[in-house]
Amino acid sequence: MKKNTQLLGLMLVGALALTSCTQAKNDSKATVDMTKTTTDGVATEDQAIQNLAKNIILPAYQGLSDSAAALHAQVLVLEKNRTQTNLNKAQDLWKQTRVYWESTEAFLFGPVESLSIDPMIDTWPLNITDLESILKQGAPISAQVIRTSGANLKGFHTAEFLLFGNGEVTNTKAITVVTDREIEYLKAATEILAEDTLRLTTAWTTQYDPDVAGSAPYIYLVLNPNPDSNQVYNSKHDVIMEFLNGMSGIADEVANGKIAEPLGASLGEADPKAEESPFSWNSITDFTNNIRSIQMMYTGTGMTGVPGVGIQHLIKEKDAALAKQVEAQIELSIKKI
């Protein structure tokens, strides 16, 4: 699976140059049909940009923040009514929220970088030693405590450890072993997770820079590249390159980071502690959704299943064989994982 994801990354890098001459006949502010090519069958950069931004990226981030809020709400239910059913529901919501997050990794640019959202919600390995030390202490664990804690003491994997246990023997946890302190920490941690994911969605939909009043939503910058008025994207080609770099970047990370580091160069060098989601046994699902995020951006069909123009359609105009090759390699990478 490492070999296949490495090859996928190289093929995506090779596709970068092919988009440089793609048509730009429509103004970026024009209304375009994002599900069809033009009357002469040619896909445009406008169609790809608008479809990928509006129908792939935004729904994924909105789903992420909504699901994180639902997870926190379920933890509050669990706090008041500590049953195995309520714990299981919280575990399921953690996994659901994880699907949304891992499905955004082909477009880890913009606010997720500038606001440092990625490390705040998805740093691993977890600092289990310090976490267990905090749980043994008596000081209150509030949202503010979590907000100011290190990145390896908050986010997805802190919640994962508290919900599923240490993962060494099983990925299930009995409600009878859940402590008051764990619930206290879990409540605060999921509140901050919901807060951080909402900030990410808001940056895309409302205000890119929270420190600059009136700053545009990030999607406006993506949809309206301009050398004079857009400080991030000078041209449509810049936006397409951003998309492609994000896609090839996560292919490389899955192959050479998420898979390669825990496996090590040999059995003796394997390091299970480097696994991304070891407590829930969710790592393979994480990797798969990472590659599916590439697939969504490539094909133009997102989590809703509605088809649209994607990167594949632009590459096809230049090299139909390569377009098919990349699609096949994406599917093979998912199958191998």
Side-chain angles (χ1 to χ4, degrees):
M1 54 190 167
K2 176 184 175 184
K3 177 181 178 182
N4 281 281
T5 48
Q6 284 176 323
L7 177 57
L8 173 58
L10 289 171
M11 292 179 74
L12 287 165
V13 170
L16 294 175
L18 294 179
T19 65
S20 61
C21 299
T22 304
Q23 298 90 331
K25 61 177 72 176
N26 293 327
D27 181 81
S28 59
K29 296 182 181 180
T31 300
V32 298
D33 188 336
M34 297 177 288
T35 64
K36 300 178 181 178
T37 55
T38 56
T39 54
D40 57 0
V42 176
T44 68
E45 286 180 333
D46 274 331
Q47 289 170 318
I49 290 169
Q50 291 205 28
N51 181 57
L52 296 179
K54 294 178 180 179
N55 294 336
I56 307 291
I57 297 175
L58 280 191
Y61 281 138
Q62 188 64 62
L64 173 66
S65 56
D66 289 347
S67 189
L71 170 59
H72 176 59
Q74 179 58 32
V75 170
L76 296 181
V77 172
L78 176 62
E79 179 187 29
K80 294 180 180 179
N81 188 9
R82 299 188 192 183
T83 66
Q84 190 66 47
T85 297
N86 282 332
L87 175 59
N88 292 346
K89 286 181 179 179
Q91 292 172 340
D92 289 343
L93 280 166
W94 182 92
K95 290 181 179 179
Q96 175 183 303
T97 309
R98 193 76 182 157
V99 169
Y100 281 110
W101 169 245
E102 295 300 323
S103 297
T104 71
E105 297 230 20
F107 38 92
L108 285 183
F109 54 79
V112 73
E113 286 187 326
S114 64
L115 301 180
S116 297
I117 299 294
D118 187 1
M120 284 191 283
I121 71 174
D122 199 29
T123 291
W124 85 90
L126 176 67
N127 187 341
I128 297 177
T129 300
D130 284 358
L131 173 59
E132 291 182 332
S133 176
I134 293 170
L135 291 172
K136 291 176 182 177
Q137 297 169 10
I141 306 170
S142 64
Q144 181 57 24
V145 169
I146 303 301
R147 192 178 289 115
T148 56
S149 295
N152 57 1
L153 286 169
K154 62 174 70 171
F156 272 109
H157 300 296
T158 296
E160 179 191 11
F161 179 82
L162 296 169
L163 284 168
F164 295 91
N166 62 23
E168 291 178 3
V169 177
T170 179
N171 63 338
T172 61
K173 187 174 185 177
I175 189 64
T176 53
V177 302
V178 177
T179 69
D180 291 347
R181 291 287 287 176
E182 287 177 329
I183 292 290
E184 187 179 5
Y185 202 123
L186 183 62
K187 181 172 72 169
T190 55
E191 179 179 344
I192 298 306
L193 179 63
E195 177 184 290
D196 287 337
T197 55
L198 180 59
R199 285 199 303 122
L200 178 55
T201 300
T202 300
W204 270 90
T205 62
T206 308
Q207 184 175 327
Y208 165 44
D209 189 340
D211 296 324
V212 178
S215 64
Y218 198 79
I219 191 170
Y220 179 86
L221 302 178
V222 170
L223 295 177
N224 296 278
N226 188 296
D228 299 319
S229 59
N230 191 322
Q231 70 270 34
V232 181
Y233 303 110
N234 290 335
S235 67
K236 297 166 191 174
H237 180 61
D238 287 350
V239 179
I240 296 296
M241 289 288 286
E242 183 87 280
F243 291 165
L244 282 161
N245 280 316
M247 294 160 67
S248 60
I250 188 57
D252 176 73
E253 183 181 348
V254 170
N256 297 311
K258 295 186 177 189
I259 292 175
E261 289 181 11
L263 288 178
S266 66
L267 183 60
E269 296 178 17
D271 181 12
K273 293 180 180 179
E275 185 185 344
E276 184 171 14
S277 297
F279 314 125
S280 59
W281 298 6
N282 205 61
S283 299
I284 290 176
T285 301
D286 286 350
F287 307 155
T288 304
N289 285 322
N290 287 163
I291 306 303
R292 284 188 175 136
S293 72
I294 297 173
Q295 188 176 49
M296 291 192 297
M297 296 292 284
Y298 189 72
T299 63
T301 300
M303 300 177 80
T304 62
V306 177
V309 175
I311 298 298
Q312 179 183 36
H313 300 86
L314 302 182
I315 296 175
K316 185 178 178 181
E317 300 300 328
K318 301 298 177 182
D319 190 332
L322 177 60
K324 288 183 179 180
Q325 257 189 305
V326 175
E327 182 179 23
Q329 189 61 41
I330 292 171
E331 292 172 356
L332 182 60
S333 295
I334 291 172
K335 180 180 178 180
K336 291 291 186 179
I337 290 173

